[in-house]
Amino acid sequence: MSAGKILVVDDDPQIRRVMKATLVGHHYEVMEARTGEEALAAVPREMPNLILLDMNMPGMDGLETCREIRAGSEVPVIILSVRNTERDKVAALDAGADDYVTKPFGIEELLARIRAALRRSPTAPEGGPHSFSAPGLEIDFDARTVRARGKDARLTPKEFELLRYLVAHAGKAVTHRELLQAVWGPDYGDEPEYLRVFINQVRKKIEANPARPKRIVTEPWVGYRFVE
Amino acid sequence: MKPWRLAGSAAIVAAVIALYHLALGVNPTTVALTLLLAVLGISAFWGLAEALLASALGVLGFNYFFLPPMGTLTIQDPQNWIALGAFLVTAVTASQLAERARRREAEATARRLESERLYELGQVMMPEGSPASTIRKFVQKAPQVLGCAGAAFCYGPSNEIVRSGGETKVVSDAALMAAAESEDVKLDAAEGVALAPVRFGARSLGSLALVGSAAPQHTLRSIAHLAAISIEKARAMEEASHAEAARQSEALKAALLDSLAHDIKTPLTSIKAAVTSMLATAGPEQHELLSIIDEEADRLNRLAAEVIEMARIEAGKLHLEKQPLDSAELIAEALSAFAAPLRERPVAVELGEGLPQAYADRELVVQVVKQFVENALKYTPAGTPIRVSAQVKGGKIVIGVADRGPGIEENERLRIFDKFYRGRRHRFEVQGTGMGLAIAKGIVEAHGERIWVENEPGGGSAFYFSLPTGGVR
């Protein structure tokens, strides 16, 4: 039985070859697209469970392709890119990507990311808070809505889960590893920079001054803490 | 004033007097009015001096030939004195008025001509290309437009002299250069040479000379001013186009670097993915060989990244995203990258009291701290301690990493930050490209700050760099 249908979008034929060989070896069904345009045509036709999307392609680039895919589908997207600056990661996440893997990567790392992304929408923790309310911040965990300073804040699923976990452990320092594993999955834990991208995004959406956060504070050496 | 006009004035008066003298029985009033008309005409067409001469001659002739007793310059009737006086006053006043009107018109005509010439010169000198070509154009066209024999220009910044032709030989190079320093236009009527300094604001652009020019001083000033504006504008345009070219070349370089990064990393991605995939199922014998491929792929990747980053720094293409930063967080992040090897060493972190926030690019600064820590791990014996510190010194935040290794020799302390330089002792022992510290230096200097190394009292070396403070505490 197939572990899932994966669409590999990359203009480099060798990369598509190695991906196909490896992923098929891990019981995934693999389809290929050479360009962003081909990928957009393939998504509604093939209904993949996951898309591996190259960031740097001639013609429509990865970010644009990702935005286009997001306009019509919630399929998990992992962006693959040779660039490793935070700016590029933020741009990819902003475009709607679920994850970002820097090329070159070890295949085990990629497989772990694929497994985590396919496990999509981590189950809501049992017995967690249903809502949170404080001056300038209201969260309804059941309706998945956040209002910050009187305005609706749009959080991506990952950002929302991050906030939910921090609020559920309000007042306690949550370590990087704990947070990564809770939100992304058990294969994560060594990506503090990764976490920082999402924390920054959440801060931008809920903090009055994201540079001097009052809600999600950094615990040096440890992780993050939500202040009630 | 021209002699023939004076003679002409006298002749006209003489003709009027002779005409009326021969035609007998003419009323003296008619004679006086006719003379007055003649004087007015003379003043209107020729000038005041001619009119005054005509008035004087008219008075004498009128008195001599037409006022009794005739044939003498004496006057019998006192009434005739009055008439003669009235004639003289009227003639002189009218002459003056006419002269003034005439001069005004002449001035207006001259102004108009001057404006036309300056306009034409301005058209001719439309800045194009460079100051040099603008000057060449001025020198070529000025004689024709300004109606002079020749023109010469000395361009101050290059001391280059351009002449329209042999006519300008009367002005020596030295005289032309000296004119650039002079305060104002100099006219040498004898030689027909005009020299003018050319300035834009307070800045000297050189000097110009016109040979055989009748232009007055204020016109010359206008010409010099016009030349200055045209040259300055050409210079500014040239500068702008150079800056644009440089910008485009930088943009091209950055684009090339990006595509180079992509082109090197794409095959590495295939290699790495393939080899790590095989490693997962390989037996012990293949495992060793596949590990080598995997590690070397990583090494190539690091090398490519460093070369590209170094090139980016040297092209001035480092993009700084400055923000307020906590030194403690920076250090924690850098140390977390080496969690495993650091577990085997005593690590101390010392943070100064009331440390203000730094204002810098977080990712790049962490990279510098990481580089220091990596060096300490690489170049000091296993198990020796590492001390990381952040403190305020002289209004700056100074972050340092100190070790208890062998220290760095005096003569290597500066060169250690050079590209490709590797310490003498470790050149063949420790893997590396020799670019790490050069990149760290590039990053720190892009922030306008300082990077240095000191020997620790009691042995070992300490690498430091400064950061500007920016946040509030």
Side-chain angles (χ1 to χ4, degrees), chain A residues 145-158:
Chain A
T145 57
V146 179
R147 279 178 74 79
R149 297 184 305 286
K151 281 187 202 144
D152 282 329
R154 281 173 56 99
L155 270 65
T156 67
K158 285 264 185 295

Side-chain angles (χ1 to χ4, degrees), chain B residues 243-320:
Chain B
E244 174 62 15
R247 199 191 58 73
Q248 280 178 359
S249 131
E250 283 304 326
L252 184 67
K253 225 185 273 175
L256 273 176
L257 288 176
D258 260 0
S259 101
L260 186 67
H262 184 251
D263 289 351
I264 292 176
K265 289 189 173 191
T266 299
L268 278 175
T269 303
S270 305
I271 294 172
K272 175 98 181 157
V275 79
T276 50
S277 184
M278 288 169 80
L279 264 172
T281 54
E285 201 177 311
Q286 282 108 2
H287 197 278
E288 175 66 6
L289 296 176
L290 292 171
S291 297
I292 292 171
I293 298 178
D294 185 29
E295 282 160 22
E296 293 303 283
D298 286 344
R299 190 167 152 201
L300 262 180
N301 181 43
R302 240 186 349 261
L303 186 65
E306 283 183 357
V307 168
I308 290 158
E309 180 149 30
M310 197 67 235
R312 205 180 284 274
I313 287 170
E314 288 183 344
K317 274 283 149 192
L318 213 53
H319 179 88
L320 300 183

Side-chain angles (χ1 to χ4, degrees), chain B residues 198-217:
Chain B
V198 179
R199 289 207 180 89
F200 189 78
R203 201 149 50 86
S204 171
L205 295 177
S207 54
L208 64 83
L210 295 178
V211 177
S213 158
Q217 211 160 16

Side-chain angles (χ1 to χ4, degrees), chain B residues 101-132:
Chain B
R102 202 185 55 81
R103 201 185 307 146
R104 289 242 170 96
E105 197 206 321
E107 271 171 16
T109 309
R111 285 261 158 81
R112 185 171 54 77
L113 275 175
E114 183 191 314
S115 300
E116 279 172 10
R117 282 175 174 171
L118 284 174
Y119 176 74
E120 205 176 329
L121 193 64
Q123 290 293 99
V124 164
M125 288 185 70
M126 277 307 243
E128 55 162 65
S130 63

